[in-house]
Amino acid sequence: NAGVTQTPKFRILKIGQSMTLQCTQDMNHNYMYWYRQDPGMGLKLIYYSVGAGITDKGEVPNGYNVSRSTTEDFPLRLELAAPSQTSVYFCASSRKYGQGRETQYFGPGTRLLVL
Amino acid sequence: GEDVEQSLFLSVREGDSSVINCTYTDSSSTYLYWYKQEPGAGLQLLTYIFSNMDMKQDQRLTVLLNKKDKHLSLRIADTQTGDSAIYFCAEIGGESQGNLIFGKGTKLSVKP
């Protein structure tokens, strides 16, 4: 199993550009999550999904959109990139929803720089 | 709202014990977690503790939970240079309804 994979690893965007961060998991997990990690800060939840076709906002959803057409994929879309979206983005997945050892498995992250 | 606090830095010598502390505000948290993040990598679950437990030991790792004071600690015995990383405390349950709430992370530096 590859686990959770993310592409790209690093990207530079100009203000106002759009891009999609890709996330795929091969563990057949129902639950998937997108976090952002700003320097010196913990992770903040952007969006999450409890299954294909179902998504919900997390703590910091503004400026982002998600979709979940399949169990495996959970892309994150930035429509109009802003410098405040410079961050490291982590995708995660889990089999259950917050139950002990049924923890979230994290991808390696996408580093995004908006100039 | 919910909050998780950690000290930002800890420096120890190789072979010593490390103790990383965390405080949280949500008294209804059901599970508390410790994650490890190595440079340039995602988060990796180290261990977790259920809220009705006081202590959990897993090889070199000992987790202590003081529910009354809402204080969680992670002790790493015989700390090695490979333990150098950022350690995140996280809680789940209660108001967060299943979402993880992370602290800012404690950067552990291990000197030879």
Side-chain angles (χ1 to χ4, degrees), chain B residues 36-52:
Chain B
K36 177 183 181 182
Q37 184 182 32
E38 295 181 356
L43 276 67
Q44 172 194 0
L45 177 68
L46 275 182
T47 187
Y48 69 96
I49 189 166
F50 187 49
S51 58
N52 68 351

Side-chain angles (χ1 to χ4, degrees), chain A:
Chain A
N1 284 354
V4 180
T5 57
Q6 293 183 238
T7 56
K9 290 185 179 179
F10 177 67
R11 182 79 180 267
I12 299 175
L13 280 183
K14 293 181 179 178
I15 295 172
Q17 285 186 320
S18 301
M19 79 164 292
T20 299
L21 282 68
Q22 301 291 345
C23 175
T24 300
Q25 53 92 8
D26 62 359
M27 297 174 281
N28 201 32
H29 286 168
N30 284 326
Y31 300 95
M32 295 188 74
Y33 314 81
W34 273 107
Y35 293 90
R36 60 178 285 171
Q37 183 183 28
D38 297 331
M41 303 291 287
L43 277 69
K44 300 288 186 182
L45 183 66
I46 305 171
Y47 270 95
Y48 66 100
S49 169
V50 302
I54 306 169
T55 62
D56 208 346
K57 295 178 181 178
E59 187 180 353
V60 289
N62 292 343
Y64 307 94
N65 277 302
V66 294
S67 60
R68 185 94 182 272
S69 56
T70 67
T71 300
E72 295 79 19
D73 301 307
F74 190 39
L76 177 71
R77 178 87 179 154
L78 283 71
E79 290 294 347
L80 293 169
S84 60
Q85 293 177 304
T86 293
S87 190
V88 181
Y89 291 84
F90 289 102
C91 179
S93 72
S94 65
R95 191 168 73 92
K96 287 186 180 179
Y97 195 41
Q99 295 293 323
R101 74 179 66 187
E102 299 290 346
T103 185
Q104 296 176 23
Y105 294 85
F106 284 81
T110 294
R111 189 173 299 272
L112 177 66
L113 179 61
V114 181
L115 299 174

Side-chain angles (χ1 to χ4, degrees), chain B residues 34-83:
Chain B
W34 284 105
Y35 282 84
K36 177 183 181 182
Q37 184 182 32
E38 295 181 356
L43 276 67
Q44 172 194 0
L45 177 68
L46 275 182
T47 187
Y48 69 96
I49 189 166
F50 187 49
S51 58
N52 68 351
M53 298 169 64
D54 297 324
M55 186 182 83
K56 181 178 180 180
Q57 188 148 2
D58 184 1
Q59 298 182 339
R60 292 191 297 121
L61 305 178
T62 302
V63 178
L64 295 177
L65 175 61
N66 182 327
K67 202 172 179 184
K68 174 177 170 289
D69 294 338
K70 298 177 193 169
H71 182 265
L72 182 74
S73 68
L74 173 69
R75 179 177 179 268
I76 305 173
D78 187 25
T79 311
Q80 302 297 307
T81 53
D83 294 324

